[in-house]
């Protein structure tokens, strides 16, 4: 399986919306399926909006000509927060465990190394998502906080973990 990581394109919208819906249905997203609807139109709008912002990044992972995952990184435009940004990643369930998340992370960090003024990358992940947490730790992301029993879904509570990576070594704690 050959994986290509590239900028998201409007024609990826339907496939990426379907992947986002699958992730939400599984409970790995930060909203429940009843609260969010991923449509091709809304995903296309997101691709176009993020694509216009030079401080943000929307990547598609492609296998055999089909999108199998995405990563969206966004920075605030507020002066106090512009030095950091956060990202979310979605992978098609059938494509997990094939190194796609790793390739998306490598592309993000390569881009981030050249992004002017970017010092810190943050993310939120559910404690039960051990595969994602393990991947982030491999890239030196550290837990900065844990919101205990913060998420309730399908009759169970889960912790929301806040993780971060300082891009500049001297900023690490």
């Amino acid at each position: 399986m050959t994986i290509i990581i590239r900028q998201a394109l409007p024609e990826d919208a339907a496939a990426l919306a379907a992947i986002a819906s699958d992730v939400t249905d599984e409970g790995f997203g930060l909203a429940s399926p009843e609260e969010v609807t991923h449509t091709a139109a809304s995903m296309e709008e997101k691709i176009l909006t993020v694509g216009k912002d030079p401080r943000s990044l929307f990547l598609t992972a492609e296998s055999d000509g089909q999108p199998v995952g995405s990563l969206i990184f966004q920075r605030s435009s507020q002066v106090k927060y512009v030095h950091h940004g956060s990202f979310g990643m979605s992978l098609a369930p059938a494509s997990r465990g094939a190194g796609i998340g790793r390739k998306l992370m490598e592309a993000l960090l390569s881009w981030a190394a050249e992004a002017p003024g970017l010092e810190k990358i943050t993310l939120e992940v559910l404690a039960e998502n051990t595969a994602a947490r393990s991947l982030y730790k491999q890239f030196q992301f550290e837990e900065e906080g844990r919101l205990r029993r913060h998420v309730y879904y399908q009759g169970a509570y889960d912790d929301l973990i806040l993780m971060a990576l300082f891009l500049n070594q001297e900023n690490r704690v």
Side-chain angles (χ1 to χ4, degrees), residues 38-112:
H38 301 284
T39 65
S42 66
M43 189 63 71
E44 182 174 349
E45 183 179 328
K46 182 86 165 172
I47 291 168
L48 293 172
T49 300
V50 173
K52 291 177 188 173
D53 182 356
R55 298 165 308 182
S56 298
L57 181 68
F58 196 143
L59 297 173
T60 294
E62 179 184 297
S63 175
D64 299 323
Q66 295 299 314
V68 294
S70 66
L71 183 148
I72 303 172
F73 173 85
Q74 292 182 285
R75 284 169 78 174
S76 174
S77 60
Q78 295 177 295
V79 174
K80 289 183 176 183
Y81 304 107
V82 75
H83 67 285
H84 66 84
S86 62
F87 77 94
M89 185 176 359
S90 297
L91 300 177
S95 299
R96 295 181 190 149
I100 297 167
R102 174 173 300 286
K103 289 182 182 286
L104 284 165
M105 291 295 298
E106 289 169 350
L108 168 63
L109 295 178
S110 176
W111 174 85

Side-chain angles (χ1 to χ4, degrees), residues 18-29 31 89-93 96:
I19 293 167
S21 291
D22 289 344
V23 170
T24 301
D25 289 345
E26 289 177 301
F28 285 132
M89 185 176 359
S90 297
L91 300 177
R96 295 181 190 149

Side-chain angles (χ1 to χ4, degrees), residues 5-6 52 62 85-86 90 95 136 147 152 169:
I5 306 298
R6 58 170 174 76
K52 291 177 188 173
E62 179 184 297
S86 62
S90 297
S95 299
Y136 303 142
L147 303 174
Y152 184 79
Q169 186 66 30

Side-chain angles (χ1 to χ4, degrees), residues 80-159:
K80 289 183 176 183
Y81 304 107
V82 75
H83 67 285
H84 66 84
S86 62
F87 77 94
M89 185 176 359
S90 297
L91 300 177
S95 299
R96 295 181 190 149
I100 297 167
R102 174 173 300 286
K103 289 182 182 286
L104 284 165
M105 291 295 298
E106 289 169 350
L108 168 63
L109 295 178
S110 176
W111 174 85
E114 304 299 320
L118 181 60
E119 298 176 17
K120 181 180 180 182
I121 298 174
T122 65
L123 65 95
E124 297 178 347
V125 61
L126 295 174
E128 76 174 38
N129 193 347
T130 55
R133 289 175 45 217
S134 175
L135 176 66
Y136 303 142
K137 286 178 183 178
Q138 290 172 32
F139 283 94
Q140 308 304 309
F141 279 78
E142 297 177 0
E143 187 173 320
E144 287 198 328
R146 178 180 291 251
L147 303 174
R148 296 182 61 229
R149 294 172 53 103
H150 195 70
V151 177
Y152 184 79
Y153 183 64
Q154 295 182 338
Y157 289 98
D158 197 2
D159 295 352

